[in-house]
Amino acid sequence: GAVVSQHPSRVICKSGTSVKIECRSLDFQATTMFWYRQFPKKSLMLMATSNEGSKATYEQGVEKDKFLINHASLTLSTLTVTSAHPEDSSFYICSARVQTSGRALSSYEQYFGPGTRLTVT
Amino acid sequence: TQLLEQSPQFLSIQEGENLTVYCNSSSVFSSLQWYRQEPGEGPVLLVTVVTGGEVKKLKRLTFQFGDARKDSSLHITAAQPGDTGLYLCAGVYLGSSNTGKLIFGQGTTLQVKP
């Protein structure tokens, strides 16, 4: 399967600072990437859809000025958590959409990165 | 509201037992995927089902997509401690926008005791 990497895997920052998380597709190009947030023993919550060369689409309730997304190339999307607070502490996961065959939605699969554990103190 | 109901949410069984996890919705999916996730790691794709009535097997795991493409199941035969983890179903709704974003079920935490 396709490989997606994330960096860093863990980060601890002080309240009020900003943190950037990188998501890379290693062996394929991804015009669309997704950013998720996950709480302990819970499912994934979609935060935003990142499209190469255009503005990200945010889910309802997600502050776009707080969670800045940049998809500057076909292999890299970044998520910047600005002015982080302890309640932003979470496991952040990205995924990249891969087209398997054809053009229908059913011909796409998503592959996930290993996640980034953010702790804000 | 697009909902994907996954059940059970927690399951603790003995090694060798069989189990089934269900994902149900009132809406039709264009495709549905099953993932397995271990603590501190990202989800790993197990299978994608696309056609109504489709059955796929992955060793001791059997995945089924409902005829109407509104539901899916994961059956594990003779579970082993290595099967322990969080199982997630996720689907792309047929009526969704062209983003193809996945809607996730609540997840099933499976613990297999030796």
Side-chain angles (χ1 to χ4, degrees):
Chain A
V3 180
V4 178
S5 71
Q6 274 184 249
H7 178 79
S9 58
R10 289 178 177 272
V11 58
I12 301 173
C13 70
K14 292 186 177 181
S15 186
T17 62
S18 295
V19 175
K20 180 185 285 189
I21 303 170
E22 294 184 348
C23 178
R24 293 181 185 275
S25 56
L26 296 186
D27 50 359
F28 64 99
Q29 294 182 332
T31 55
T32 304
M33 292 184 174
F34 302 88
W35 286 96
Y36 296 84
R37 183 173 180 177
Q38 186 177 33
F39 294 101
K41 296 187 178 180
K42 296 293 184 182
S43 188
L44 279 68
M45 181 187 75
L46 179 64
M47 298 174 66
T49 302
S50 172
N51 297 297
E52 188 270 335
S54 64
K55 291 183 179 180
T57 303
Y58 290 83
E59 295 300 302
Q60 192 173 10
V62 177
E63 299 176 59
K64 62 180 181 180
D65 294 331
K66 181 169 185 60
F67 298 100
L68 300 179
I69 292 173
N70 188 329
H71 195 151
S73 78
L74 287 171
T75 59
L76 173 64
S77 175
T78 60
L79 168 67
T80 301
V81 183
T82 63
S83 186
H85 291 283
E87 56 265 32
D88 298 324
S89 298
S90 192
F91 193 50
Y92 292 88
I93 309 175
C94 72
S95 71
R97 192 174 72 168
V98 176
Q99 186 173 1
T100 54
S101 63
R103 302 175 70 85
L105 287 175
S106 59
S107 62
Y108 290 92
E109 291 181 337
Q110 280 192 35
Y111 290 88
F112 287 80
T116 296
R117 172 72 59 191
L118 170 63
T119 303
V120 185
T121 61
Chain B
T1 303
Q2 298 170 341
L3 286 178
L4 186 48
E5 296 290 334
Q6 188 172 343
S7 64
Q9 293 188 33
F10 299 96
L11 194 55
S12 181
I13 61 174
Q14 293 294 134
E15 181 177 2
E17 294 183 4
N18 301 332
L19 67 115
T20 303
V21 179
Y22 300 93
C23 267
N24 296 288
S25 175
S26 57
S27 298
V28 178
F29 296 104
S30 61
S31 66
L32 191 140
Q33 298 172 3
W34 284 91
Y35 295 86
R36 178 168 172 264
Q37 184 182 24
E38 298 201 31
E41 299 181 7
V44 175
L45 179 65
L46 297 175
V47 77
T48 298
V49 286
V50 176
T51 306
E54 184 175 6
V55 177
K56 284 191 175 180
K57 291 192 175 184
L58 186 64
K59 296 184 180 178
R60 293 175 295 100
L61 278 60
T62 302
F63 305 87
Q64 188 162 4
F65 203 12
D67 290 341
R69 291 189 293 161
K70 292 183 179 181
D71 56 270
S72 181
S73 64
L74 157 62
H75 182 79
I76 301 179
T77 304
Q80 299 177 1
D83 295 329
T84 294
L86 176 66
Y87 289 83
L88 297 158
C89 64
V92 177
Y93 279 94
L94 196 63
S96 69
S97 65
N98 210 24
T99 62
K101 65 182 182 182
L102 285 175
I103 305 298
F104 276 86
Q106 298 95 326
T108 296
T109 298
L110 171 65
Q111 180 186 40
V112 183
K113 301 175 183 177

